[in-house]
Amino acid sequence: MERLLNFIDGKWVEADGGRTFLSLNPADTREIIASAPHSSPDDVDRAVEAARQAFDSWRLVPAPKRGEIIFRAAEALTKEKSRLGELVTREMGKVLPEGLGDVQEAIDMAYYMAGEGRRLSGETVPSELPDKDCKSVRVPVGVFALITPWNFPVAIPAWKIFPALIAGNTVVFKPSQHTPACATELVKILVEAGLPKGVLNLVHGPGSDVGDSLATHPGVNGVSFTGSSSVGGKLAARCAIPGRVVTCEMGGKNAVIVMDDADLELAVKGIIWGGFGTAGQRCTAAARIIVHKGIYKDFINILIDAARSLKLGNGLEPGVDIGPLISDEQMKKVQHFVHLGRTEGATPALGGQRCVHGELGYGYFMEPTIFTDVRANMSIAREEIFGPFLSVMKAESLEDAIRVANGVDYGLVASIYTSNVNSSAVAERDIDTGIVYVNASTTGAEIQLPFGGEKRSGFGAKEAGGRGGALDTFTRWKVIYRDFSGKVQKAQIAD
């Protein structure tokens, strides 16, 4: 068992008071991955103060030089990909190919944001007056609190840390209490890449006290949060009062529309991956499957056969398709929705039980679960479950399917399977989500475009790259007018 520490002002330190908590392998809770410090408000104070002290010098480091540090981190992540991917699987539970993919996202983001050190582009425009120039530039916001979840324990921190640093901000990072070891390894790589002390600080602990203390700290200028919609909504409201920059990437209840002209085999493969990959523990997971009435019965038979073939187990074992849920709390939540589905009159077509036989009994394994005959007003069709759980509904037409897809409080991602280019065009236009896939699963966003949703799925600027992406969170615009005429010139006023 590894003993983890906080990282504050360039030093690895114990938490104030010496309290700790354990990180367990959710596939086998007999294995303790690490003990981590349970930080206090005093720890948060010290971390924020260190970040504030470092900001004045870090913001003056030329952005290309900041990019060189992040590039070195990308190179180190590439060399350590196998080791870190295995750690992701052990600590979070996703199967090893997904654990490696988690690290690859961090690598991609590091290289991308390292390149932004040579861009960070603003705008130069002509002035209406002679001997005068006009431009806008990006400048850092200040100290950022970055609060991340457990389901992508390397990728999501990288999505936040790298753009925050390349923009010239300093950071206090609070990872999920379920994945402290993954977070620690990422911080170690950045420190070894050459970050000055105080630029990146790490505090461990539960979100209910450490995260709240950090997000509302008066020394913090901005907050970037990924987690549940309920927590994110409250956080956004609290940050609005002092005018703090805040962005929240939250939940989803993502729909996949399958039309009667779709390639059913392709659609089922995509839905199996989108719904049961990461045991359904993705904000982009396929959750609502809206199927045209003409193919409804055939589709369900193919879907159930495909889901039955999936193998559950420890993600480090070859041939395993689905790993565990993250915790007993999450298991109870999924089982609660299984009960609700039955109570509300949906048909339990597959699964619905916790796996307790053999080695699976030592982890949090849930059978792939499918409910059919689901109505749009049922709880299992409206509320985020975050487990291997599909709700299948029938649609009369494309318009009806889009209406159902839009009829929830979330708006992160949706997908449509169709061979009709006109149907796909209508779906692209009318589906009310931040991301739309055509003939592809709901998972698999690429880092060079913004990532995020509408309604209860997101608040503030988007994550990742591209216009409207993470740099809009981690910078503010400054407009500069320089008059070199040597006289008073009055814009919009005639002489």
Side-chain angles (χ1 to χ4, degrees), residues 276 307-308 310 312 322 350-353 366-370 388-389:
F276 298 134
R308 278 201 179 107
L310 297 173
L312 277 73
I322 304 178
L350 184 71
Q353 300 295 320
M366 180 76 185
E367 295 175 341
T369 299
I370 300 174
F389 194 119

Side-chain angles (χ1 to χ4, degrees), residues 272-308:
I272 290 292
W273 164 236
F276 298 134
T278 324
Q281 298 172 119
R282 295 177 180 230
C283 57
T284 57
R288 298 178 295 144
I289 315 303
I290 306 168
V291 184
H292 190 279
K293 64 180 181 180
I295 57 167
Y296 187 78
K297 289 183 179 179
D298 290 341
F299 170 83
I300 287 174
N301 290 334
I302 299 171
L303 179 67
I304 289 174
D305 285 345
R308 278 201 179 107

Side-chain angles (χ1 to χ4, degrees), residues 3-338:
R3 185 176 181 181
L4 307 177
L5 298 170
N6 287 337
F7 187 69
I8 299 175
D9 201 21
K11 298 177 182 178
W12 294 99
V13 293
E14 300 275 3
D16 181 60
R19 289 192 298 164
T20 61
F21 62 92
L22 298 179
S23 170
L24 305 178
N25 182 343
D28 186 346
T29 56
R30 295 171 297 181
E31 180 187 4
I32 301 173
I33 304 298
S35 71
H38 186 134
S39 303
S40 70
D42 287 341
D43 296 307
V44 172
D45 286 344
R46 285 192 289 273
V48 172
E49 179 58 26
R52 294 217 66 80
Q53 291 294 325
F55 175 67
D56 281 341
S57 57
W58 178 246
R59 70 182 179 87
L60 297 178
V61 173
K65 295 297 182 183
R66 298 195 295 256
E68 290 174 9
I69 295 173
I70 294 174
F71 184 87
R72 289 196 293 270
E75 297 283 273
L77 282 166
T78 302
K79 291 177 182 177
E80 297 291 336
K81 179 178 175 179
S82 295
R83 181 180 67 84
L84 292 178
E86 182 175 325
L87 178 60
V88 169
T89 295
R90 288 176 58 227
E91 189 169 44
M92 184 267 152
K94 63 177 70 176
V95 298
L96 183 57
E98 292 185 48
L100 294 169
D102 197 308
V103 180
Q104 186 61 51
E105 279 202 44
I107 294 168
D108 294 344
M109 184 59 74
Y111 280 127
Y112 186 92
M113 286 299 164
E116 284 296 334
R118 294 280 173 178
R119 288 186 293 267
L120 283 181
S121 53
E123 188 176 22
T124 300
V125 297
S127 173
E128 64 188 50
L129 298 171
D131 298 325
K132 180 180 178 183
D133 54 35
C134 314
K135 64 181 178 180
S136 63
V137 296
R138 291 183 182 271
V139 296
V141 174
V143 175
F144 255 91
L146 306 182
I147 302 173
T148 63
W150 45 264
N151 58 337
F152 285 85
V154 177
I156 291 179
W159 279 37
K160 298 179 187 295
I161 291 172
F162 293 138
L165 295 180
I166 199 66
N169 301 284
T170 54
V171 167
V172 181
F173 168 37
K174 196 221 77 75
S176 167
Q177 69 190 82
H178 293 296
T179 52
C182 290
T184 297
E185 291 303 311
L186 178 60
V187 170
K188 285 181 179 178
I189 283 173
L190 273 158
V191 171
E192 290 167 5
L195 276 184
K197 72 172 186 175
V199 171
L200 174 61
N201 304 273
L202 170 68
V203 288
H204 292 289
S208 55
D209 47 17
V210 181
D212 187 67
S213 177
L214 174 59
T216 59
H217 196 286
V220 165
N221 302 106
V223 180
S224 180
F225 166 85
T226 298
S228 71
S229 296
S230 58
V231 173
K234 294 174 184 175
L235 178 61
R238 295 184 70 179
C239 288
I241 296 172
R244 187 169 297 148
V245 173
V246 60
T247 181
C248 299
E249 201 282 296
M250 301 180 286
K253 191 66 177 177
N254 309 299
V256 178
I257 296 171
V258 185
M259 294 304 297
D260 54 353
D261 55 10
D263 179 335
L264 289 192
E265 294 291 342
L266 176 65
V268 166
K269 288 178 181 178
I271 289 164
I272 290 292
W273 164 236
F276 298 134
T278 324
Q281 298 172 119
R282 295 177 180 230
C283 57
T284 57
R288 298 178 295 144
I289 315 303
I290 306 168
V291 184
H292 190 279
K293 64 180 181 180
I295 57 167
Y296 187 78
K297 289 183 179 179
D298 290 341
F299 170 83
I300 287 174
N301 290 334
I302 299 171
L303 179 67
I304 289 174
D305 285 345
R308 278 201 179 107
S309 70
L310 297 173
K311 180 181 178 182
L312 277 73
N314 189 313
L316 293 177
E317 297 175 2
V320 169
D321 300 299
I322 304 178
L325 297 175
I326 189 65
S327 65
D328 187 58
E329 179 184 12
Q330 193 62 29
M331 174 65 70
K332 289 175 180 175
K333 179 182 178 182
V334 176
Q335 290 181 316
H336 168 70
F337 279 101
V338 170

